[in-house]
């Protein structure tokens, strides 16, 4: 893989050329910043910027003012290759709080090792209705220890209004939900995003996460996507590397001080 070429393609397609990630959201391009504006339950934030030392502080202040006027907390999604190189320090100085860093990983679907099978007694079901979404949220809360209210809201809205753009799934051991994940499809894009992959503590290390990556890769391939993209945690990065994903950059959420 030509890392620089694929990273430039990702920036162009998925950041500078971003599309709304759900019903009611919109993409706005203002100056050298691309942001998404959504309701209070959706994702609000800065996706891309083209800044330098002379323009960065003003742009940060402008985004703070804009989202404050709309009563929205927001995230500045900073990538390791974004400029200026001290943009993270500037965000911190403006009151943003950095969340843990993750690794932007991309795999070419045709070159991935996708022979992973599910453990005995485990099956995958699509989450296509409220009951399925509740299972996904249950896994999310147990795996990550965070509230799943926003995930519930966003998944139900997308399944109702944009069902072709997201495929959510849950792995069940008998009737127990043990892992869940989703793949997000952007019409016309070469990239599909793998999101929300999580496994409850007692089932980690048994190959369920790996099997759900393979399952989602098959869905992306069927929709004509060439690449899979993941914001990988330190726990999932080694698994993804063994499957054939490449680390292209880092990504750090900076949460606004509102």
């Amino acid at each position: 893989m030509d890392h620089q070429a694929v990273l430039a393609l990702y920036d162009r397609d998925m950041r500078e050329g971003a599309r709304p990630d759900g019903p009611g959201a919109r993409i706005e391009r203002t100056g050298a910043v691309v942001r998404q504006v959504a309701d209070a339950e959706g994702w609000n934030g800065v996706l891309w910027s083209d800044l330098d030392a002379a323009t960065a502080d003003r742009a940060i202040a402008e985004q703070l003012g804009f989202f404050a006027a709309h009563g929205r907390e927001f995230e500045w999604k900073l990538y390791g290759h974004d400029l200026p190189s001290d943009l993270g320090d500037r965000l911190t100085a403006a009151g943003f709080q950095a969340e843990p860093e993750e690794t932007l990983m991309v795999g070419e679907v045709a070159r991935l090792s996708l022979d992973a099978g599910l453990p005995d007694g485990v099956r995958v079901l699509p989450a296509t209705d409220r009951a399925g979404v509740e299972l996904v949220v249950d896994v999310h809360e147990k795996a990550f220890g965070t509230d799943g209210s926003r995930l519930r809201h966003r998944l139900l809205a997308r399944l109702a209004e944009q069902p072709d753009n997201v495929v959510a799934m849950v792995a069940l051991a008998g009737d127990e939900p043990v892992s869940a994940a989703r793949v997000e499809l952007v019409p016309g894009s070469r990239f599909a995003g793998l999101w929300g992959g999580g496994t409850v503590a007692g089932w980690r290390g048994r190959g369920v996460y790996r099997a759900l990556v393979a399952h989602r890769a098959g869905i992306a391939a069927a929709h004509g996507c060439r690449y899979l993209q993941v914001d990988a945690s330190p726990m999932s990065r080694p698994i993804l590397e063994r499957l054939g994903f490449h680390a292209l950059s880092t990504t750090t959420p900076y949460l606004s001080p509102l």
Side-chain angles (χ1 to χ4, degrees):
M1 179 184 290
D2 184 332
H3 288 195
Q4 290 303 313
V6 175
L7 181 59
L9 182 64
Y10 175 80
D11 281 344
R12 186 167 66 247
D13 277 14
M14 304 301 289
R15 300 182 64 206
E16 186 178 6
R19 303 179 196 183
D21 72 354
R26 66 183 186 273
I27 297 295
E28 296 183 346
R29 293 165 177 82
T30 171
V33 169
V34 174
R35 65 190 177 211
Q36 176 169 290
V37 183
D39 63 21
E41 295 295 328
W43 187 85
N44 289 271
V46 172
L47 291 156
W48 177 86
S49 64
D50 183 19
L51 305 172
D52 57 28
T55 59
D57 291 337
R58 181 189 302 175
I60 291 170
E62 288 173 348
Q63 298 312 308
L64 284 168
F66 172 83
F67 282 104
H70 286 74
R72 297 283 185 268
E73 297 180 352
F74 72 103
E75 173 187 323
W76 192 300
K77 193 171 175 65
L78 179 69
Y79 288 77
H81 58 287
D82 287 345
L83 298 175
S85 58
D86 64 349
L87 184 53
D89 293 336
R90 292 170 184 266
L91 289 166
T92 299
F96 286 78
Q97 181 176 348
E99 293 283 283
E101 179 183 276
E102 295 183 315
T103 303
L104 172 66
M105 304 192 75
V106 173
E108 191 168 2
V109 175
R111 296 179 178 271
L112 296 177
S113 300
L114 299 176
D115 56 352
L118 288 162
D120 290 342
V122 177
R123 68 190 192 281
V124 175
L125 294 180
T128 58
D129 56 16
R130 180 173 289 273
V133 169
E134 290 300 333
L135 292 174
V136 170
V137 171
D138 179 70
V139 170
H140 177 88
E141 292 183 335
K142 290 176 179 175
F144 299 111
T146 56
D147 180 73
S149 299
R150 285 193 173 186
L151 174 62
R152 178 185 293 108
H153 171 85
R154 294 172 67 185
L155 264 183
L156 288 172
R158 293 192 71 175
L159 289 172
E161 299 186 39
Q162 299 174 340
D164 295 334
N165 292 359
V166 61
V167 180
M169 63 203 66
V170 59
L172 298 173
D175 294 326
E176 177 191 0
V178 299
S179 188
R182 68 187 186 276
V183 55
E184 299 191 357
L185 306 160
V186 180
S189 174
R190 286 159 284 196
F191 291 85
L194 303 187
W195 298 97
T199 303
V200 300
W203 277 85
R204 291 172 187 160
R206 304 194 199 184
V208 183
Y209 175 86
R210 178 187 176 105
L212 288 186
V213 172
H215 189 75
R216 288 178 287 168
I219 293 170
H223 283 80
C225 299
R226 181 175 179 181
Y227 299 104
L228 294 176
Q229 170 263 319
V230 189
D231 290 350
S233 69
M235 184 181 298
S236 58
R237 176 173 175 170
I239 302 171
L240 294 165
E241 287 177 331
R242 290 193 293 271
L243 291 174
F245 283 77
H246 298 255
L248 300 189
S249 187
T250 60
T251 177
T252 306
Y254 279 79
L255 305 184
S256 70
L258 296 180

